[in-house]
Amino acid sequence: MTKEAQNERDDMLVDDPEPQDKQLDDIPDEFNPNYLKVYYGRLFPHADMFKWLSYGNDGKHPACDQSYIGRREFSFTLDNDIYLRFQSFNSASELENGIKDKCPFKIDIGPVYSVDPSKRLAYSQSGDNIFTPVERELVFDIDISDYDDARYCCSGADVCLDCWPLMTIAIKVIDTSLRDDFGFNHILWVYSGRRGVHCWVCDGKARRLNNEQRGAIADYFRVYKGNTNSKSKVSLVGSALHPFLVRSYSDVLRDFFEKKLLCSQQLLSDERYEKILEMIPDESITSELRGKWQDNRRSSSRKDVNVVRWEQLKQLLQSGKQKATGIRRCVEEIVFSFTYPRLDMEVSKHMNHLLKAPFCIHPKTGRVCVPIDPDVCDEFDPTNVPTLSKLLREINSVGLQVEGDKVWERTSMGKSIRYFRGSFLQPLMKSCKEEIEESYSAKVQQSKNSLTW
């Protein structure tokens, strides 16, 4: 079948108001670039994305910076890995038309620059080196492939419901700290579409951080330092843990390790307990535990062997006999090594780093990069998010009875877009407008004061 014929067939599938069951079944589950045209045309929330990235500067208030959104970089990845960097758009319609025209496999969002990024070459030729990032959300990127030494069910880009909770724990730890320790309020968590999560911190004070300040926040979260060859995976310095680490351990990490990860990954089974014993620096303790576990391989206890061995390990390490802080802290270090969030530090430290936009379709899985509500992140199932093929089947079932902005409400995208609008975008827009008004009022008052003099 020719490409033109295939496209014609795809259009017929989408436009038929009363599709037959056979036609619905004909849409394959795999990612199909031909269907992106339909997705971007009928489901992608162009207007919401533009409103978000304008941060209130798309209004008529005299303090609005009308050039703001036009200085934001968008990057499109097309078929065959063709990259279109430094795209910019001055209006919601421009953004929508640009996306519909190019049908990118991926959309990345960059910083707001000092000048329109699409005109950067003209500024460079003038000899003035003024093309520089001036604003960007504080972002975090967490990838489950970085946890391959903490999980045995999957590896690389593969993920299942036994190891995905590692991402859930990362969301809980980082989100709580961003709100409680740093005072940020407007935080968006997004599923990457395959194997991880992205975090966008959108408060004004976060967007205006310089690289040094971003690096300081990233370092605040730095605990995991391990690799596949190092025995010590974390760095818990000082005579006492930082309050943030104490809270993370007692509120989230300890229970998750003991009640879920320990058994789901069989971390203390006969084949795997040596990895944990290697984390204990006292050879006499490791020898004693190894001896116990080798003698009790056929234990008649009804308890899970991983639970039994973990209790034995804790009892020995935390007994009154162990005076050295390093030995007594081994239990915490083991838990942190397996469960603490592993951030891509470079993504967070630099303003000019690109990050995939929410609501993209991941080309490897066909899944939509949907927002995740941190308040109920335990309920998020990466295997059950909307896919491109599923959405097309849903559009076909709706047919042409629903037009325009109402289509998404009748699909599995509805819940995600409602959350994005109601829980993230609306509070953010309210805050942005208040900030713009406060800034304007302060300038007016300052002007009045100067005239008085």
Side-chain angles (χ1 to χ4, degrees), residues 231-379:
K231 293 180 181 179
S232 177
K233 302 291 184 181
V234 296
S235 176
L236 302 179
V237 297
S239 57
L241 287 181
H242 188 283
F244 155 62
L245 298 179
V246 172
R247 182 185 64 219
S248 300
Y249 180 77
S250 59
D251 292 356
V252 181
L253 303 181
R254 179 176 55 198
D255 280 359
F256 169 68
F257 180 86
E258 294 182 344
K259 295 178 181 178
K260 291 186 179 179
L261 193 71
L262 189 64
C263 295
S264 71
Q265 301 300 323
Q266 295 289 293
L267 296 179
L268 287 174
S269 62
D270 290 341
E271 300 80 13
R272 297 171 186 167
Y273 65 64
E274 282 296 339
K275 178 184 285 190
I276 288 181
L277 290 183
E278 288 176 356
M279 298 180 188
I280 302 172
D282 189 310
E283 203 169 307
S284 63
I285 295 176
T286 59
S287 296
E288 183 175 342
L289 288 170
R290 188 181 292 110
K292 276 185 180 181
W293 297 347
Q294 287 175 346
D295 292 342
N296 296 328
R297 284 185 174 180
R298 297 184 180 181
S299 172
S300 59
S301 172
R302 293 184 179 180
K303 270 189 172 182
D304 186 289
V305 67
N306 296 277
V307 176
V308 172
R309 288 173 174 175
W310 179 247
E311 291 302 322
Q312 291 172 341
L313 181 150
K314 284 200 301 181
Q315 187 175 13
L316 198 54
L317 287 174
Q318 297 178 333
S319 67
K321 298 177 183 178
Q322 307 303 335
K323 303 295 183 184
T325 304
I327 299 299
R328 295 176 66 85
R329 188 173 281 178
C330 264
V331 171
E332 295 165 345
E333 288 184 347
I334 292 169
V335 172
F336 273 93
S337 293
F338 281 91
T339 63
Y340 187 80
R342 304 179 181 186
L343 306 177
D344 185 333
M345 302 295 285
E346 295 306 308
V347 172
S348 303
K349 287 183 174 183
H350 303 292
M351 291 179 72
N352 60 355
H353 207 292
L354 298 171
L355 194 64
K356 188 193 304 175
F359 298 106
C360 282
I361 304 289
H362 195 292
K364 299 290 186 183
T365 63
R367 295 174 185 166
V368 183
C369 300
V370 294
I372 300 173
D373 183 350
D375 291 337
V376 289
C377 56
D378 285 303
E379 300 173 10

Side-chain angles (χ1 to χ4, degrees), residues 87 90-91 376 438:
Q87 306 292 297
N90 291 303
S91 66
V376 289
E438 287 175 9

Side-chain angles (χ1 to χ4, degrees), residues 149 180 221 242 350 387 399:
D149 63 333
D180 293 354
F221 292 116
H242 188 283
H350 303 292
T387 62

